[in-house]
Amino acid sequence: LKFRATLVQEQNKLIRLLSNVGRSPHMGCIQSRSPTSPDKVEQPLPNLLVVEQPGGSHSGDVKVLSDARALSDHPPNLCALPPGSAVQQPHVLVEHPLAVIGSTRVDLHRSFHDLPLTFELGLTRASLLTEVEVVWSQSAKCDLRFELLLDSSTSAAQCSVIHEGELGERPANKPLRCRLQLDEPPASTSAITVRILMRRKPCNNNPDSIDIREVVPRGLPVGCPPPRRRLLRPPKYWATTEGSAHSRIDVNEVCHIAVFQRLFDETWKGKATRDRTGTLPKRLLIKKVQRVEAPGLWNRFSRHRRVMSLAAKKTAAGRCTPLEALRGGDELNPVRTKSICEASPEILGPCDAAINEHYLFHGTSPAGALGIIREGFDLCRARPGAALLFGSGAYFAEASSKFDEYASVDEFSGMCAVLVCRVICGEMYHALRKVDPELVSDPDFVGKYDGILGDREASVGTYREFVVFRQEQIYPEYMVFYDREYGS
């Protein structure tokens, strides 16, 4: 809002200056000459593109999405222009509702017991889709999850969870609105799919229902630059504050690299499992560390973290069950990375303990790591749940000797790679042995738990593995390249 106010002030100054051209030479502007002046007329200034969201949206104020900062930081200097020069007004392009095949009116009436519900809309012309607004009403309060899928993709490009506590005291069937805003919209979209799920199915047989009234896609023509998004509550040590481009920033400070080496050394356990191929190394030596600043992935993670935090505060305990207490008894088993990360706030954290947010490792190849930081964790490409010990999801380790079992050497650089990720574990199911795949696919189970803590350390003395169900629970913040050191 402060930036928009500054923009309006600069535009008003520009209008006043234009109105004074040719009136008085004492105003600081050169008097304009007649059209027959022999002086050469220079080319007008280039357009300045300003992209704004519709001001009538229910969820907030107008936002400047494109790089219009030039209007306030470097306004045109009319006094420096030759006589007869033209000043071109900035071109404003606004996100607008996109035409669909048929109508945006959906008018679907379904019972809560019929969820999940999926419906599709085709666009009459491929466009740069920036957001989709869903208008609905429901006869009773419940937690709903809205997912947006683009074209033929099977994974959600954006999602939003509406908790019953957020609905407040409102009359039944009063329209509600949910905006699914894309932080990194694809260049072209031709069809959208909206999927609505209930986090927990009702235990009673009451005839409660949901009415989907309207689905409004908004966007820009194909070829327009993507909107600029501001980062939502980024860490203080980040360099990026807005934009859509991913950046990898080298961590060169010796003291900061030493923190990651401590993470490797102090979480090393020196035990091999059947997942390891080859000899167990003596140690892992860090060669390079890069911080990943990806606005799209971060905003998706930040939104979901806030949703989970609000949900945890509404429980009886006011937080999720601490991971160190899942085994029961008097002995606590904290996450191995916790103390080191808490002691290094200049490059790690802070983490939300109420929702069990921790830094964990994901071992992969250098090429795989680059793919993840570009697109996030695509859980649809993971192995089937039946082939995995703890079902479908993204797997993470707290010990360096465990993630190294899944890392592979790059054939060109000869180094391995690991992602140091922020992971929101949330409410986790404690498992000592292989989990039934049907249990993980049960909607009631997924609605109750955010992941599984596979505690093979307690059952057979090896390692704990952390499995989360949704990609928005993860942010890959650091990419670390390392070598294996072998000894006698």
Side-chain angles (χ1 to χ4, degrees):
L1 289 175
K2 182 178 179 181
F3 171 68
R4 184 166 180 261
T6 304
L7 177 62
V8 172
Q9 291 176 1
E10 296 297 338
Q11 288 176 332
N12 290 336
K13 290 180 183 178
L14 180 61
I15 294 173
R16 289 196 298 269
L17 288 171
L18 286 173
S19 63
N20 289 326
V21 172
R23 293 184 180 178
S24 171
H26 303 291
M27 298 297 293
C29 295
I30 300 176
Q31 190 172 2
S32 61
R33 300 186 182 181
S34 62
T36 58
S37 173
D39 292 346
K40 181 180 179 181
V41 177
E42 295 190 2
Q43 294 298 322
L45 297 177
N47 277 351
L48 298 173
L49 181 64
V50 182
V51 184
E52 296 184 352
Q53 288 195 10
S57 175
H58 76 284
S59 63
D61 305 285
V62 176
K63 301 178 183 178
V64 177
L65 301 179
S66 187
D67 192 3
R69 196 173 301 177
L71 284 175
S72 59
D73 292 348
H74 304 287
N77 186 0
L78 298 182
C79 300
L81 294 177
S85 297
V87 177
Q88 189 168 354
Q89 294 294 322
H91 174 60
V92 179
L93 188 61
V94 179
E95 290 179 271
H96 58 275
L98 302 176
V100 301
I101 300 174
S103 173
T104 58
R105 295 288 302 183
V106 179
D107 293 329
L108 283 178
H109 179 83
R110 293 291 185 272
S111 167
F112 282 161
H113 294 276
D114 295 333
L115 299 180
L117 173 65
T118 302
F119 50 91
E120 300 180 2
L121 281 178
L123 304 181
T124 57
R125 179 181 299 177
S127 304
L128 176 69
L129 182 72
T130 57
E131 72 172 36
V132 174
E133 186 173 23
V134 182
V135 183
W136 87 100
S137 61
Q138 55 192 73
S139 60
K141 293 182 179 181
C142 67
D143 293 353
L144 295 177
R145 176 182 173 88
F146 292 81
E147 296 182 348
L148 175 63
L149 293 78
L150 307 182
D151 293 328
S152 58
S153 175
T154 57
S155 59
Q158 188 56 277
C159 67
S160 180
V161 178
I162 307 297
H163 292 280
E164 60 179 52
E166 299 178 47
L167 303 180
E169 297 298 330
R170 62 178 67 231
N173 298 322
K174 182 178 180 179
L176 302 166
R177 296 173 183 270
C178 174
R179 287 178 64 198
L180 297 165
Q181 188 181 72
L182 296 172
D183 295 302
E184 293 182 293
S188 175
T189 300
S190 300
I192 62 174
T193 301
V194 177
R195 186 163 56 202
I196 305 175
L197 308 91
M198 182 179 293
R199 288 175 60 85
R200 297 184 187 180
K201 290 187 177 180
C203 300
N204 52 45
N205 294 320
N206 294 337
D208 296 324
S209 62
I210 180 172
D211 293 298
I212 310 300
R213 301 188 178 186
E214 192 173 10
V215 178
V216 182
R218 294 190 179 95
L220 301 165
V222 172
C224 290
R228 296 177 64 89
R229 307 294 192 198
R230 291 194 63 83
L231 281 169
L232 303 176
R233 299 172 292 277
K236 294 181 179 180
Y237 49 82
W238 276 29
T240 305
T241 59
E242 65 178 3
S244 58
H246 292 203
S247 58
R248 286 183 288 149
I249 300 175
D250 291 337
V251 177
N252 297 318
E253 293 81 356
V254 176
C255 59
H256 294 168
I257 296 176
V259 172
F260 290 93
Q261 189 63 60
R262 278 189 61 203
L263 277 173
F264 279 25
D265 293 341
E266 296 184 20
T267 63
W268 181 266
K269 200 172 178 181
K271 287 190 176 182
T273 71
R274 61 184 180 182
D275 294 323
R276 179 172 291 280
T277 58
T279 307
L280 178 69
K282 178 183 177 181
R283 190 187 182 204
L284 305 180
L285 296 176
I286 289 180
K287 296 299 181 182
K288 188 175 185 179
V289 179
Q290 291 182 325
R291 184 171 63 249
V292 180
E293 299 186 1
L297 295 180
W298 174 261
N299 283 353
R300 180 176 65 184
F301 171 83
S302 184
R303 287 193 187 98
H304 194 71
R305 179 169 61 177
R306 182 175 180 274
V307 167
M308 292 184 66
S309 179
L310 291 174
K313 290 178 182 178
K314 295 170 185 174
T315 61
R319 60 156 299 156
C320 298
T321 306
L323 300 184
E324 55 264 26
L326 286 181
R327 285 184 189 174
D330 298 331
E331 183 182 359
L332 298 179
N333 300 275
V335 177
R336 288 175 175 266
T337 60
K338 182 178 179 180
S339 60
I340 302 174
C341 295
E342 289 180 346
S344 308
E346 67 278 5
I347 55 170
L348 296 168
C351 294
D352 190 344
I355 53 176
N356 290 324
E357 181 184 354
H358 294 281
Y359 279 96
L360 297 171
F361 302 112
H362 182 81
T364 181
S365 64
L370 290 173
I372 289 173
I373 66 176
R374 283 195 303 266
E375 304 174 7
F377 284 80
D378 190 352
L379 302 185
C380 296
R381 298 180 184 177
R383 287 187 294 170
L388 299 169
L389 197 60
F390 303 111
S392 299
Y395 280 63
F396 297 89
E398 62 178 342
S400 57
S401 49
K402 179 58 179 176
F403 78 70
D404 183 58
E405 294 185 340
Y406 304 105
S408 57
V409 179
D410 181 70
E411 59 180 335
F412 297 106
S413 65
M415 293 188 294
C416 303
V418 62
L419 293 172
V420 181
C421 304
R422 290 175 180 257
V423 182
I424 306 173
C425 298
E427 192 67 36
M428 300 203 90
Y429 176 80
H430 188 235
L432 297 174
R433 57 188 61 86
K434 183 178 175 63
V435 175
D436 185 359
E438 294 184 0
L439 177 66
V440 181
S441 60
D442 184 3
D444 291 336
F445 180 84
V446 177
K448 183 178 181 181
Y449 296 103
D450 302 295
I452 295 176
L453 176 59
D455 198 351
R456 299 282 289 174
E457 185 179 54
S459 58
V460 296
T462 53
Y463 299 97
R464 292 192 297 182
E465 293 189 72
F466 303 77
V467 186
V468 294
F469 298 147
R470 300 181 180 91
Q471 59 180 352
E472 55 264 27
Q473 293 175 241
I474 313 159
Y475 181 76
E477 188 168 2
Y478 287 94
M479 184 164 59
V480 182
F481 299 92
Y482 68 93
D483 279 341
R484 294 167 173 150
E485 181 183 86
Y486 296 90
S488 57

